[in-house]
Amino acid sequence: MQKLMDTVKNVLSLILQDFINLIHHWDYDKNSGNQHSKELFETGFVKVKNFLEANYCNELYKQIISISEDNPITTKLDNGTFIEHRNSKTENGPDKGMIDIYNIDKSIHLKLNYSTIENILKPITTCDIYLTSIHAYINRSVENTRIYHVDNCQPVIYKAFIYLTHVSDKSFGPYSFIKNSDRFSPKVYYNLIKNLFVKKNRSTDMPSYNKEKEIIGTGHKGSLIISNQNGIHRGYPQAKGKERVAIVLNYMVISKLNYIHKTAGASIKKSLKKL
Protein backbone atom coordinates (compact mmCIF):
# COMPACT_ATOMS: atom_id res chain seq x y z
CA MET A 1 0.00 0.00 0.00
CA GLN A 2 2.82 2.42 0.87
CA LYS A 3 4.52 1.79 -2.46
CA LEU A 4 1.24 2.44 -4.29
CA MET A 5 0.84 5.75 -2.43
CA ASP A 6 4.46 6.69 -3.24
CA THR A 7 3.93 5.87 -6.91
CA VAL A 8 0.75 7.93 -7.16
CA LYS A 9 2.45 10.85 -5.39
CA ASN A 10 5.53 10.65 -7.62
CA VAL A 11 3.55 10.42 -10.86
CA LEU A 12 1.35 13.38 -9.91
CA SER A 13 4.42 15.33 -8.80
CA LEU A 14 6.14 14.62 -12.09
CA ILE A 15 3.09 15.69 -14.09
CA LEU A 16 3.04 18.98 -12.15
CA GLN A 17 6.77 19.50 -12.60
CA ASP A 18 6.65 18.76 -16.33
CA PHE A 19 3.80 21.27 -16.63
CA ILE A 20 6.00 23.83 -14.85
CA ASN A 21 8.92 22.86 -17.12
CA LEU A 22 6.72 23.44 -20.16
CA ILE A 23 5.75 26.91 -18.96
CA HIS A 24 9.41 27.77 -18.41
CA HIS A 25 10.75 25.97 -21.47
CA TRP A 26 11.47 29.26 -23.26
CA ASP A 27 13.16 30.90 -20.27
CA TYR A 28 16.72 30.29 -21.42
CA ASP A 29 18.47 33.63 -21.85
CA LYS A 30 20.76 33.34 -24.87
CA ASN A 31 22.22 36.80 -24.23
CA SER A 32 23.40 36.23 -20.66
CA GLY A 33 23.94 32.49 -21.06
CA ASN A 34 27.23 30.78 -21.88
CA GLN A 35 28.20 27.49 -23.48
CA HIS A 36 28.04 25.68 -20.14
CA SER A 37 24.56 26.94 -19.27
CA LYS A 38 23.38 26.12 -22.79
CA GLU A 39 24.67 22.55 -22.48
CA LEU A 40 23.07 22.12 -19.06
CA PHE A 41 19.75 23.47 -20.35
CA GLU A 42 19.79 21.19 -23.40
CA THR A 43 21.03 17.94 -21.82
CA GLY A 44 20.64 18.20 -18.02
CA PHE A 45 24.39 17.72 -17.50
CA VAL A 46 27.57 19.76 -17.93
CA LYS A 47 31.23 19.35 -16.92
CA VAL A 48 33.62 22.25 -16.27
CA LYS A 49 37.34 21.47 -16.14
CA ASN A 50 39.76 23.07 -13.67
CA PHE A 51 37.11 24.65 -11.44
CA LEU A 52 39.48 24.28 -8.46
CA GLU A 53 43.26 24.19 -8.40
CA ALA A 54 44.79 20.81 -7.53
CA ASN A 55 46.62 22.16 -4.46
CA TYR A 56 43.41 23.51 -2.96
CA CYS A 57 41.67 20.21 -3.69
CA ASN A 58 44.43 18.49 -1.70
CA GLU A 59 43.90 20.88 1.24
CA LEU A 60 40.14 20.27 1.30
CA TYR A 61 40.68 16.54 0.95
CA LYS A 62 42.89 16.41 4.05
CA GLN A 63 40.39 18.40 6.15
CA ILE A 64 37.42 16.27 5.06
CA ILE A 65 39.21 12.98 5.66
CA SER A 66 40.30 14.23 9.09
CA ILE A 67 36.66 14.97 10.04
CA SER A 68 35.59 11.49 8.91
CA GLU A 69 38.41 9.80 10.84
CA ASP A 70 37.57 11.77 13.99
CA ASN A 71 33.95 10.55 13.69
CA PRO A 72 34.03 6.83 12.75
CA ILE A 73 30.30 6.41 13.43
CA THR A 74 27.28 8.49 12.42
CA THR A 75 27.56 11.70 14.45
CA LYS A 76 26.02 15.18 14.62
CA LEU A 77 28.46 17.87 15.70
CA ASP A 78 27.46 20.84 17.85
CA ASN A 79 28.10 23.22 14.92
CA GLY A 80 25.45 21.50 12.77
CA THR A 81 27.70 19.28 10.65
CA PHE A 82 26.27 15.76 10.38
CA ILE A 83 28.51 12.82 9.45
CA GLU A 84 26.44 9.94 8.11
CA HIS A 85 27.99 6.53 7.56
CA ARG A 86 25.57 5.09 5.00
CA ASN A 87 24.02 1.70 5.82
CA SER A 88 26.72 1.02 8.41
CA LYS A 89 24.45 -1.51 10.15
CA THR A 90 22.89 -3.00 7.01
CA GLU A 91 24.53 -5.93 5.25
CA ASN A 92 25.09 -5.15 1.56
CA GLY A 93 22.82 -2.07 1.65
CA PRO A 94 23.14 0.38 -1.25
CA ASP A 95 26.03 2.85 -0.77
CA LYS A 96 27.25 0.87 2.25
CA GLY A 97 30.56 2.39 3.30
CA MET A 98 29.88 5.81 1.82
CA ILE A 99 30.30 8.79 4.16
CA ASP A 100 28.01 11.76 3.56
CA ILE A 101 28.98 14.86 5.55
CA TYR A 102 26.05 17.29 5.64
CA ASN A 103 26.75 21.00 6.16
CA ILE A 104 30.48 20.55 5.64
CA ASP A 105 30.70 24.35 5.30
CA LYS A 106 30.01 24.65 9.04
CA SER A 107 33.26 22.80 9.79
CA ILE A 108 35.49 23.91 6.90
CA HIS A 109 35.92 27.34 5.36
CA LEU A 110 35.25 26.82 1.66
CA LYS A 111 36.89 29.23 -0.80
CA LEU A 112 34.74 28.41 -3.80
CA ASN A 113 33.91 30.53 -6.83
CA TYR A 114 30.14 30.32 -6.33
CA SER A 115 29.57 32.90 -9.05
CA THR A 116 30.80 30.46 -11.71
CA ILE A 117 28.10 27.98 -10.74
CA GLU A 118 25.47 30.70 -10.43
CA ASN A 119 26.33 32.10 -13.87
CA ILE A 120 25.66 28.66 -15.34
CA LEU A 121 22.35 28.18 -13.50
CA LYS A 122 20.72 31.60 -13.63
CA PRO A 123 20.34 31.97 -17.44
CA ILE A 124 18.42 28.67 -17.56
CA THR A 125 15.28 29.81 -15.75
CA THR A 126 13.36 32.82 -14.48
CA CYS A 127 12.36 30.80 -11.38
CA ASP A 128 13.94 31.46 -7.99
CA ILE A 129 17.06 29.40 -7.26
CA TYR A 130 18.20 28.59 -3.73
CA LEU A 131 21.45 27.10 -2.48
CA THR A 132 20.03 24.70 0.11
CA SER A 133 22.96 22.68 1.44
CA ILE A 134 26.63 21.75 0.98
CA HIS A 135 27.92 18.22 1.52
CA ALA A 136 31.13 16.25 1.26
CA TYR A 137 30.98 12.71 -0.14
CA ILE A 138 33.64 10.13 0.67
CA ASN A 139 33.45 6.93 -1.38
CA ARG A 140 36.11 4.34 -0.67
CA SER A 141 35.67 0.85 -2.13
CA VAL A 142 31.88 1.34 -2.24
CA GLU A 143 31.05 -1.68 -4.37
CA ASN A 144 27.27 -1.66 -4.06
CA THR A 145 25.90 1.71 -5.12
CA ARG A 146 22.27 2.37 -5.93
CA ILE A 147 21.10 1.63 -9.47
CA TYR A 148 20.05 4.43 -11.82
CA HIS A 149 17.32 6.51 -10.15
CA VAL A 150 15.87 9.99 -9.78
CA ASP A 151 16.21 11.88 -6.50
CA ASN A 152 12.75 13.42 -6.65
CA CYS A 153 9.99 14.30 -9.10
CA GLN A 154 9.32 17.83 -7.89
CA PRO A 155 10.72 20.52 -7.53
CA VAL A 156 13.84 20.71 -9.74
CA ILE A 157 17.11 20.11 -7.91
CA TYR A 158 20.55 20.72 -9.39
CA LYS A 159 23.67 19.26 -7.82
CA ALA A 160 27.15 20.65 -8.36
CA PHE A 161 29.84 17.99 -7.79
CA ILE A 162 33.42 19.16 -7.30
CA TYR A 163 35.90 16.29 -7.48
CA LEU A 164 38.74 16.53 -4.95
CA THR A 165 40.35 13.35 -6.29
CA HIS A 166 41.00 12.04 -9.79
CA VAL A 167 38.04 10.03 -11.12
CA SER A 168 39.78 8.59 -14.15
CA ASP A 169 37.47 5.73 -15.13
CA LYS A 170 34.46 3.68 -14.01
CA SER A 171 36.45 1.87 -11.31
CA PHE A 172 36.59 5.13 -9.29
CA GLY A 173 32.77 5.36 -9.14
CA PRO A 174 32.05 8.43 -11.29
CA TYR A 175 28.75 10.26 -11.12
CA SER A 176 26.84 9.38 -14.29
CA PHE A 177 23.72 10.66 -16.04
CA ILE A 178 21.28 9.78 -18.81
CA LYS A 179 21.20 12.72 -21.20
CA ASN A 180 17.83 14.47 -21.74
CA SER A 181 16.08 12.45 -19.01
CA ASP A 182 15.42 15.50 -16.82
CA ARG A 183 12.34 16.88 -18.64
CA PHE A 184 9.38 15.28 -20.42
CA SER A 185 10.96 11.82 -20.19
CA PRO A 186 8.69 8.83 -20.99
CA LYS A 187 11.32 6.55 -19.40
CA VAL A 188 10.85 8.17 -16.00
CA TYR A 189 7.07 7.70 -16.12
CA TYR A 190 7.51 4.13 -17.37
CA ASN A 191 9.86 3.20 -14.52
CA LEU A 192 7.70 4.85 -11.85
CA ILE A 193 4.72 2.73 -12.88
CA LYS A 194 6.67 -0.47 -13.57
CA ASN A 195 8.36 -0.35 -10.14
CA LEU A 196 4.96 -0.75 -8.56
CA PHE A 197 5.02 -4.36 -9.79
CA VAL A 198 8.68 -5.12 -9.02
CA LYS A 199 9.09 -5.79 -5.33
CA LYS A 200 12.85 -5.21 -5.11
CA ASN A 201 12.71 -1.76 -6.78
CA ARG A 202 12.18 1.50 -4.95
CA SER A 203 9.55 3.82 -6.39
CA THR A 204 12.16 6.16 -7.91
CA ASP A 205 14.54 3.48 -9.24
CA MET A 206 15.13 3.72 -12.99
CA PRO A 207 16.29 0.28 -14.23
CA SER A 208 15.08 1.00 -17.78
CA TYR A 209 17.01 3.73 -19.62
CA ASN A 210 18.64 4.51 -22.96
CA LYS A 211 22.19 3.19 -22.68
CA GLU A 212 23.25 5.20 -25.73
CA LYS A 213 22.56 8.42 -23.82
CA GLU A 214 24.67 7.48 -20.80
CA ILE A 215 27.26 10.10 -19.78
CA ILE A 216 30.06 8.73 -17.58
CA GLY A 217 31.20 11.70 -15.48
CA THR A 218 34.91 11.06 -15.19
CA GLY A 219 37.24 13.96 -14.47
CA HIS A 220 40.47 15.13 -12.86
CA LYS A 221 40.53 16.60 -9.37
CA GLY A 222 39.13 20.12 -9.52
CA SER A 223 36.51 19.22 -12.12
CA LEU A 224 32.97 20.56 -11.64
CA ILE A 225 29.91 18.60 -12.77
CA ILE A 226 26.43 20.15 -12.62
CA SER A 227 23.42 17.89 -13.09
CA ASN A 228 19.63 18.07 -12.94
CA GLN A 229 18.71 15.51 -10.28
CA ASN A 230 15.22 15.05 -11.73
CA GLY A 231 17.04 13.22 -14.51
CA ILE A 232 18.14 9.58 -14.36
CA HIS A 233 21.53 9.29 -12.64
CA ARG A 234 23.74 7.21 -10.36
CA GLY A 235 27.20 6.91 -8.84
CA TYR A 236 28.94 3.89 -10.35
CA PRO A 237 30.11 1.02 -8.10
CA GLN A 238 33.77 1.26 -7.22
CA ALA A 239 36.51 -1.33 -7.43
CA LYS A 240 38.26 -2.25 -4.19
CA GLY A 241 40.91 0.25 -3.24
CA LYS A 242 39.45 3.06 -5.35
CA GLU A 243 38.45 6.42 -3.89
CA ARG A 244 36.25 9.35 -4.85
CA VAL A 245 35.95 12.44 -2.63
CA ALA A 246 33.78 15.38 -3.65
CA ILE A 247 32.17 18.59 -2.43
CA VAL A 248 28.48 18.63 -3.42
CA LEU A 249 26.26 21.74 -3.53
CA ASN A 250 22.47 21.41 -3.78
CA TYR A 251 20.45 24.04 -5.64
CA MET A 252 16.65 24.08 -5.62
CA VAL A 253 14.62 25.74 -8.40
CA ILE A 254 11.23 27.05 -7.31
CA SER A 255 8.36 28.28 -9.46
CA LYS A 256 5.30 29.82 -7.81
CA LEU A 257 3.42 26.74 -9.03
CA ASN A 258 5.64 24.54 -6.86
CA TYR A 259 3.82 25.91 -3.82
CA ILE A 260 0.71 24.03 -4.95
CA HIS A 261 2.59 20.90 -3.99
CA LYS A 262 3.49 22.38 -0.59
CA THR A 263 7.11 21.25 -0.83
CA ALA A 264 8.87 24.55 -1.31
CA GLY A 265 8.26 26.43 1.92
CA ALA A 266 10.14 24.24 4.39
CA SER A 267 13.12 23.80 2.08
CA ILE A 268 13.40 27.53 1.45
CA LYS A 269 13.46 28.23 5.18
CA LYS A 270 16.43 25.86 5.51
CA SER A 271 18.24 27.28 2.49
CA LEU A 272 21.56 29.04 2.77
CA LYS A 273 20.77 31.80 0.29
CA LYS A 274 18.74 32.83 -2.72
CA LEU A 275 20.70 33.39 -5.91
Side-chain angles (χ1 to χ4, degrees):
M1 181 59 71
Q2 184 60 48
K3 196 171 185 180
L4 174 61
M5 292 172 63
D6 289 342
T7 299
V8 171
K9 178 182 176 181
N10 285 326
V11 170
L12 292 177
S13 296
L14 188 58
I15 291 171
L16 172 61
Q17 188 58 55
D18 271 340
F19 176 68
I20 295 170
N21 291 340
L22 181 62
I23 291 173
H24 292 281
H25 185 66
W26 293 272
D27 278 359
Y28 178 67
D29 187 345
K30 294 180 181 179
N31 295 321
S32 64
N34 50 63
Q35 185 58 40
H36 289 132
S37 59
K38 181 183 179 192
E39 185 176 347
L40 181 60
F41 178 76
E42 292 179 348
T43 69
F45 178 99
V46 69
K47 180 166 69 175
V48 181
K49 297 179 181 179
N50 303 316
F51 177 74
L52 285 185
E53 293 184 357
N55 287 340
Y56 186 49
C57 290
N58 295 337
E59 290 179 27
L60 291 177
Y61 172 89
K62 290 177 183 178
Q63 294 179 70
I64 290 166
I65 295 301
S66 177
I67 291 173
S68 70
E69 291 176 345
D70 289 343
N71 298 277
I73 60 173
T74 296
T75 308
K76 184 170 184 179
L77 304 181
D78 291 340
N79 64 9
T81 297
F82 178 66
I83 303 99
E84 179 189 17
H85 291 256
R86 294 267 185 95
N87 283 308
S88 57
K89 298 180 181 179
T90 304
E91 189 67 26
N92 297 321
D95 294 332
K96 182 178 177 64
M98 175 186 175
I99 303 173
D100 183 355
I101 306 179
Y102 297 70
N103 301 321
I104 186 65
D105 52 298
K106 295 183 181 297
S107 293
I108 294 175
H109 176 61
L110 296 173
K111 295 179 289 185
L112 303 179
N113 188 354
Y114 295 98
S115 62
T116 296
I117 301 174
E118 293 172 7
N119 289 338
I120 294 172
L121 291 175
K122 286 196 288 188
I124 291 175
T125 180
T126 58
C127 296
D128 293 335
I129 305 175
Y130 295 84
L131 172 58
T132 57
S133 60
I134 303 177
H135 298 234
Y137 289 172
I138 303 172
N139 288 58
R140 285 174 162 172
S141 302
V142 179
E143 299 177 81
N144 184 28
T145 58
R146 191 177 171 191
I147 67 171
Y148 272 110
H149 60 279
V150 296
D151 281 1
N152 59 299
C153 296
Q154 193 274 149
V156 171
I157 301 292
Y158 285 97
K159 279 189 177 180
F161 298 82
I162 306 166
Y163 287 159
L164 303 182
T165 54
H166 290 315
V167 183
S168 308
D169 55 52
K170 274 189 180 181
S171 68
F172 288 86
Y175 173 84
S176 299
F177 184 83
I178 305 302
K179 184 169 65 172
N180 302 127
S181 62
D182 54 313
R183 290 178 295 181
F184 320 120
S185 173
K187 283 289 186 184
V188 176
Y189 284 98
Y190 172 79
N191 280 297
L192 287 173
I193 295 170
K194 184 180 178 181
N195 288 339
L196 187 58
F197 306 99
V198 182
K199 187 175 181 180
K200 67 177 181 178
N201 289 351
R202 300 185 192 182
S203 177
T204 53
D205 284 350
M206 297 285 136
S208 178
Y209 58 91
N210 188 342
K211 183 72 175 177
E212 294 180 357
K213 291 190 174 184
E214 184 179 48
I215 303 171
I216 307 296
T218 55
H220 291 303
K221 68 173 68 173
S223 296
L224 165 70
I225 289 173
I226 306 178
S227 163
N228 186 328
Q229 298 302 103
N230 296 59
I232 301 172
H233 63 275
R234 75 175 300 186
Y236 259 91
Q238 292 178 305
K240 281 189 176 181
K242 299 296 184 179
E243 178 182 56
R244 187 196 79 183
V245 179
I247 295 287
V248 183
L249 296 83
N250 293 308
Y251 290 89
M252 182 175 60
V253 180
I254 292 294
S255 159
K256 290 181 173 58
L257 289 171
N258 285 116
Y259 287 93
I260 296 172
H261 198 268
K262 298 181 180 179
T263 59
S267 296
I268 288 173
K269 288 179 181 178
K270 295 178 183 178
S271 68
L272 299 180
K273 67 170 184 175
K274 179 179 176 181
L275 272 60

